[in-house]
Amino acid sequence: MMPGALHIAMYHYVRPILGSRFPAVKGLEIEQFKAQLDHFAAAYAVVTMEHVMAACRGLKDLPSKALLLSFDDGYSDHFVHVFPLLHERGWQGSFFVPSCVAGQREVLEVNMIQFALQCCPSSEEFARQIDFELSAERSDYCLQPIDFYHREYRKATRFDDPATAYVKRMLQVVLPSALRSRLVREAFLKWVTRDEVAFAQELYCNLDQLRMMQRCGMHIGAHGDRHRWLEELPRDEQRAEIRRSSAFLDKVGVPPHGRSFCYPSGSYNMLTLELLAESEFEIGLTTEVGCARCEPEMALVLPRYDTNDFFPRGAL
Ligand SMILES: [Zn+2]
């Protein structure tokens, strides 16, 4: 492998899934996570974010087969299951938390969509519900005819059947954001729970847990405020997302220098990079797939691999 080469593993849910309340969660079972950590111990050198930063500045070499572990979205899984296992091995994880979730009052729209899809009678039914609303709201929001949306977005993907892909796409990006937010919230309240606060408290880490992880040597990084797609936002809104992320890291107790930012849904543009370079952020993580090169010009656009690309499910 070339010098400065780094594998970054990306995780979301790590929890007992089979036999749980939400058996369709797309995540990693604890036993698989443990097996993966054993594999990493044998085949890779797990490095810290501080080491990666020094390597990107050209101050320090990375060992061969260097690996950074990254965990997105601030799930309580990370405190309850991941943190003890990493701590036991003396390894550091990097945890990217949308600042609004640590308040534990609200559930991110992206999570509302995931859980509504699991709890609804079928994704077909969910898609029909969206189409019903589209007809009702068409003139108010200047929407396209339903056929147009079906033609463009009702298509199977690597992971999803056509109806599921349609629901996700329509509610994540396609519809105007005010309409999107209303439909997501209604679906969540109808199919998942009416108690959003209790659900948020169960789903996400709180501030004290994040502070403890930070004090125990884990790296806590930014993941926006409300997990919005940054490339869709104008300058003042992108700046506000970044500013709120910085204020959140202050609250966790992360030192002002050597901060990192992981782009929510992998979404960023040139403006994002410009704004991050103006603030204290040194490292940016994307969802582009590949091996990262630790060089100054790459520091804000490091690609990652999904946990499923590694043993036991993948070949890495
Ligand atoms: Zn995320």
Side-chain angles (χ1 to χ4, degrees):
M1 236 163 46
M2 60 194 165
L6 170 71
H7 283 77
I8 306 177
M10 170 177 71
Y11 295 86
H12 290 89
Y13 297 103
V14 181
R15 53 163 68 186
I17 298 169
L18 266 182
S20 76
R21 219 150 34 103
F22 301 106
V25 161
K26 289 209 168 77
L28 203 60
E29 296 275 4
I30 308 292
E31 290 313 312
Q32 288 172 323
F33 183 59
K34 286 183 182 166
Q36 196 157 71
L37 296 184
D38 286 340
H39 167 64
F40 290 159
Y44 290 90
V46 174
V47 295
T48 63
M49 181 62 88
E50 292 74 20
H51 195 152
V52 170
M53 285 178 185
C56 285
R57 284 190 227 124
L59 300 175
K60 204 169 168 188
D61 288 336
L62 285 174
S64 72
K65 300 283 277 181
L67 173 72
L68 183 81
L69 303 174
S70 71
F71 301 84
D72 290 11
D73 298 343
Y75 299 125
S76 55
D77 295 12
H78 302 159
F79 179 78
V80 176
H81 304 297
V82 172
F83 168 47
L85 290 171
L86 297 186
H87 192 262
E88 192 177 289
R89 289 178 184 264
W91 289 351
Q92 185 194 65
S94 295
F95 298 86
F96 297 94
V97 185
S99 46
C100 80
V101 310
Q104 291 198 307
R105 307 292 304 169
E106 50 189 313
V107 177
L108 295 176
E109 287 187 12
V110 62
N111 296 135
M112 284 187 170
I113 298 169
Q114 287 166 354
F115 285 96
L117 272 166
Q118 288 179 53
C119 299
C120 68
S122 71
S123 49
E124 287 294 343
E125 168 77 28
F126 200 160
R128 264 198 302 278
Q129 187 70 41
I130 292 174
D131 289 348
F132 174 78
E133 296 283 349
L134 290 187
S135 322
E137 301 287 355
R138 181 159 175 206
S139 57
D140 282 3
Y141 285 96
C142 304
L143 302 173
Q144 303 281 348
I146 289 176
D147 284 353
F148 167 84
Y149 296 116
H150 282 196
R151 217 168 36 244
E152 293 290 315
Y153 305 111
R154 248 191 105 103
K155 293 174 187 161
T157 66
R158 201 177 133 201
F159 304 106
D160 295 316
D161 62 74
T164 305
Y166 177 70
V167 168
K168 285 188 184 169
R169 201 84 191 121
M170 294 296 280
L171 296 183
Q172 282 172 355
V173 266
V174 174
L175 294 176
S177 77
L179 177 59
R180 230 159 60 197
S181 296
R182 176 170 73 75
L183 297 186
V184 167
R185 182 160 296 276
E186 282 172 4
F188 180 80
L189 293 175
K190 177 162 140 196
W191 286 319
V192 185
T193 175
R194 298 209 64 86
D195 194 341
E196 181 182 353
V197 173
F199 198 86
Q201 284 169 351
E202 201 180 327
L203 187 59
Y204 306 114
C205 287
N206 64 38
L207 209 51
D208 288 330
Q209 293 170 331
L210 295 170
R211 284 182 183 133
M212 175 187 265
M213 289 162 78
Q214 203 269 338
R215 281 197 306 271
C216 290
M218 300 292 134
H219 176 83
I220 310 294
H223 199 40
D225 179 33
R226 304 177 63 97
H227 207 277
R228 301 172 74 188
W229 291 50
L230 294 178
E231 68 192 302
E232 311 233 305
L233 302 181
R235 179 181 286 266
D236 56 332
E237 289 184 42
Q238 283 209 34
R239 186 177 276 138
E241 283 280 321
I242 293 170
R243 204 169 279 154
R244 282 194 283 266
S245 301
S246 297
F248 162 71
L249 295 181
D250 290 341
K251 267 203 234 169
V252 175
V254 178
H257 298 290
R259 290 185 170 182
S260 64
F261 200 104
C262 171
Y263 308 114
S265 307
S267 169
Y268 68 95
N269 58 16
M270 292 309 289
L271 178 58
T272 321
L273 301 183
E274 187 193 311
L275 293 170
L276 284 181
E278 285 170 11
S279 55
E280 323 85 336
F281 292 96
E282 277 191 41
I283 292 288
L285 299 189
T286 71
T287 50
E288 278 128 51
V289 179
C291 189
R293 270 186 303 123
C294 288
E295 295 170 354
E297 60 277 18
M298 298 302 290
L300 287 177
V301 290
L302 298 179
R304 297 188 283 175
Y305 289 101
D306 188 76
T307 165
N308 292 311
D309 294 324
F310 294 92
F311 176 89
R313 291 185 183 164
L316 288 174

